[in-house]
Amino acid sequence: RQILSARDGRPLRLDIRGDDRLNIAHPNVLLEAAATSFQVHFQMPAERLVRAYNASCLVSAPMVALAANSPYLFQCALWDETRIPLFEQAVDTSPLTGDAPRRVTFGEAWLEDGLLECFEDNLSRFPPLLPQLFDEPPEHLHHLRLHNGTIWRWNRPLVAVDDEGAVTLRLEHRVLPAGPTVIDMLANAACYVGLAQALSSLYQPPESRLPFVDARTNFYEAARRGLDAEFRWLDGRVIGCRSLLLDTLLPLADDGLSALGVSAAVRRRYLDVVRARVAGGQTGARWQRAYIHEHGRNFADLLAAYCAHQREGMPVHEWPV
């Protein structure tokens, strides 16, 4: 109700262009149900969260590219990770007039000094979506947490307060899709956690070498083109996604997991899945596109084949078309 009220009662509209164009309207937020994701939470001390947030934004583009799994929506061929524009548009509160910020957002800037910058931005740019007055003590942060829960940054800092009043801080990495298999999802999570750890521990913050606007542009380029994306990377150089992952980021992820005490065998098990997927170029999105190219636009058969391979348990890079 509140989302539609903010839109002056207008229905929500999807307008996504890929090989096809999807342009439809819907009277409620049900379209959001198609945006199934796999959200990784990384708990850490406050003094590390700024660097980890920036590192997570930095690697969001290659993470989306290596995990892409939603090239079709309503039988239209769209982006490799169509879930990104789908979610941004499915809960868009922008009124007919004005330039209100989208509540699903990549963000506007690197964090510099602390998490307070994020929550101050919430307060200054986003009116409360669910106005509610809590009777609990202010140190329980109920109002801050509710407001933050209605602003869906692709990398979102979270605050929790337990029954004893202790505060914990987490970073929620929201860019990863669900599927195609459990092993693929665990491999994606391992890659992200390793990268966040490694990049946030470098002596020179890598985000100081890349404008935030380039990180954001990279993110949407990755969602559109998957592993074929090219990124403007550190110090302004342009590099292909697959080369960046294989030559630079996967070794860094291995270093980060090692620093967290993950054994060599476990690191190999999961990072080798990502490495093989990137080297062979077969993400979930690319397998789906290849299946439709080979068998025609029969999406019931596509779903049946997808589920059958999922039950077999092989990672997606090993799926035959």
Side-chain angles (χ1 to χ4, degrees), residues 93-218:
T93 57
S94 301
L96 189 60
T97 58
D99 188 25
R102 277 188 169 166
R103 286 181 176 265
V104 184
T105 175
F106 188 77
E108 298 296 320
W110 304 118
L111 292 184
E112 295 182 0
D113 299 317
L115 286 187
L116 191 59
E117 298 165 37
C118 178
F119 298 117
E120 287 176 337
D121 183 66
N122 287 356
L123 189 62
S124 65
R125 295 201 304 129
F126 298 94
L129 185 64
L130 300 173
Q132 184 173 348
L133 182 62
F134 292 100
D135 293 330
E136 286 82 356
E139 56 268 22
H140 288 182
L141 304 176
H142 279 294
H143 297 96
L144 179 147
R145 290 154 57 196
L146 177 63
H147 189 42
N148 190 51
T150 64
I151 301 161
W152 296 277
R153 286 178 169 82
W154 288 111
N155 293 282
R156 179 166 63 176
L158 299 176
V159 179
V161 182
D162 65 21
D163 293 338
E164 285 72 44
V167 176
T168 58
L169 300 172
R170 303 193 311 278
L171 183 61
E172 182 184 43
H173 189 60
R174 302 173 55 84
V175 310
L176 294 173
T181 66
V182 171
I183 185 68
D184 285 305
M185 293 165 69
L186 291 174
N188 296 342
C191 186
Y192 161 66
V193 170
L195 283 173
Q197 171 68 25
L199 290 168
S200 63
S201 302
L202 294 176
Y203 178 75
Q204 182 186 16
E207 63 268 24
S208 66
R209 299 162 56 194
L210 185 75
F212 187 85
V213 66
D214 287 340
R216 184 170 56 209
T217 299
N218 290 344

Side-chain angles (χ1 to χ4, degrees), residues 45-63:
E47 62 271 15
R48 290 211 54 209
L49 226 155
V50 168
R51 288 286 307 276
Y53 173 87
N54 291 342
S56 297
C57 291
L58 183 69
V59 301
S60 288
M63 288 305 307

Side-chain angles (χ1 to χ4, degrees), residues 236-295:
R237 64 193 175 104
V238 176
I239 187 169
C241 175
R242 292 169 73 177
S243 296
L244 177 65
L245 282 162
L246 293 172
D247 299 338
T248 303
L249 295 185
L250 284 172
L252 271 175
D254 188 67
D255 292 343
L257 291 174
S258 177
L260 290 170
V262 180
S263 71
V266 172
R267 299 198 312 268
R268 281 196 302 272
R269 180 185 180 192
Y270 293 116
L271 294 183
D272 280 357
V273 169
V274 177
R275 188 174 291 106
R277 189 194 310 153
V278 174
Q282 181 161 289
T283 61
R286 295 306 169 87
W287 179 87
Q288 291 175 58
R289 291 190 193 276
Y291 187 94
I292 291 297
H293 177 77
E294 182 71 19
H295 300 281

Side-chain angles (χ1 to χ4, degrees), residues 31-39 69-70 81 83 86 176-179:
L31 292 167
E32 181 193 352
T36 311
S37 61
F38 173 48
Q39 298 160 14
N69 192 40
S70 53
E81 190 51 24
R83 180 180 56 93
L86 166 64
L176 294 173

Side-chain angles (χ1 to χ4, degrees), residues 302-320:
L302 168 65
L303 177 60
Y306 187 104
C307 291
H309 291 319
Q310 205 172 54
R311 286 191 295 270
E312 292 163 358
M314 297 182 301
V316 71
H317 69 270
E318 297 180 4
W319 290 9

